[in-house]
Amino acid sequence: MSYSDLKLFALSSNKELAEKVASTMGLALGKSTVRQFSDGEIQVNIEESIRGQHVFILQSTSSPVNDNLMEILIMVDALKRASAESISVVMPYYGYARQDRKARSREPITSKLVANMLEVAGVDRLLTVDLHASQIQGFFDIPVDHLMGAPLIADYFDRAGLTGSDVVVSPDHGGVTRARKLAEFLKTPIAIIDKRRSVDKMNTSEVMNIIGDVSGKTCILIDDMIDTAGTICHAADALAEAGATAVYASCTHPVLSGPALDNIEKSAIEKLVVLDTIYLPEERLIDKIEQISIAELIAEAIIRIHEKRPLSPLFELGKAK
């Protein structure tokens, strides 16, 4: 398939995913280089003409978050000055999404600040996957296409035969909608972990109660992201203690910072299924982690955006592959 007026560029955070997307689309990645001066300043060079082109930049704002965000802003400025027709950012993982509201006095709403910076830089459209808070779409005055990882995760568990008599579990009340969507795909009931998060300590939580019947069942936990893995591992252990016969876990964004891998290894989780919105080097793909690619979903979304076709079919099971 040939798209003479479309260019796809990759920055530093997830070139492997960008290469898969480009291959799926039958495109060569745009030629560009990113380098840092000794003081940490970032320089971006575009090494081919993009005048009059519809440009897509693929970059997750995962660690190092600030460097990856600055790369996008600088790249967008370079594209504007080189007369790109339109600039779309494909951000599979949207960093700072957890700072989406004022939870207490004098806190910033940093996810809104990120939206402002992207718009001021000159971004025309954002394509992202499973925002931590869906209301972040409203922080933008440009189109935001918000894809779901659940169909891909559901397809994995469907092929593994984990449907029908099992239960999908949300690790907290905030993830109930996400769990219900996966449960609809797998035709299972849902359960909810009632937890309390410490207001004084970041990345810590305490399991309080399990709402729903999990005894004698295979449980599938689902979350949008797993950071230190404390929440998901506490939930998995609580499910095992409540009589679950097996516990699987899944997420769209494998942040996996700090003690995450150690926590997962020691937990009751048999398999953690993640998408490749964030690059995981080989040494972090431990035996308990299964990573599946979102490349075909993103490629199809880019094609549909470029051809001005609806994205709604991509939210259905079997259409996201």
Side-chain angles (χ1 to χ4, degrees), residues 29-84:
L29 281 176
K31 298 175 182 177
S32 63
T33 57
V34 179
R35 64 183 182 127
Q36 282 197 2
F37 293 107
S38 58
D39 66 349
E41 286 187 5
I42 296 168
Q43 184 183 51
V44 174
N45 288 319
I46 301 168
E47 299 175 349
E48 61 181 287
S49 173
I50 49 87
R51 184 177 296 274
Q53 299 284 300
H54 297 279
V55 179
F56 290 78
I57 309 164
L58 195 149
Q59 173 88 323
S60 282
T61 48
S62 49
S63 179
V65 182
N66 298 328
D67 285 353
N68 289 333
L69 180 57
M70 279 303 300
E71 282 186 15
I72 295 173
L73 300 175
I74 294 168
M75 180 67 159
V76 169
D77 186 72
L79 292 168
K80 281 183 62 181
R81 296 176 189 279
S83 301

Side-chain angles (χ1 to χ4, degrees), residues 157 161-171 179-180 182-184 186-193 210-222 239-240 242-250:
F157 286 116
L162 298 175
T163 59
S165 62
D166 305 299
V167 58
V168 171
V169 184
S170 173
R180 185 172 289 119
L182 180 62
E184 287 174 2
L186 296 178
K187 298 179 174 60
T188 68
I190 70 167
I192 304 165
I193 302 290
I210 298 173
I211 303 169
D213 181 18
V214 300
S215 180
K217 297 187 177 182
T218 297
C219 295
I220 302 172
L221 283 156
I222 183 169
L239 292 170
T245 56
V247 181
Y248 293 82
S250 60

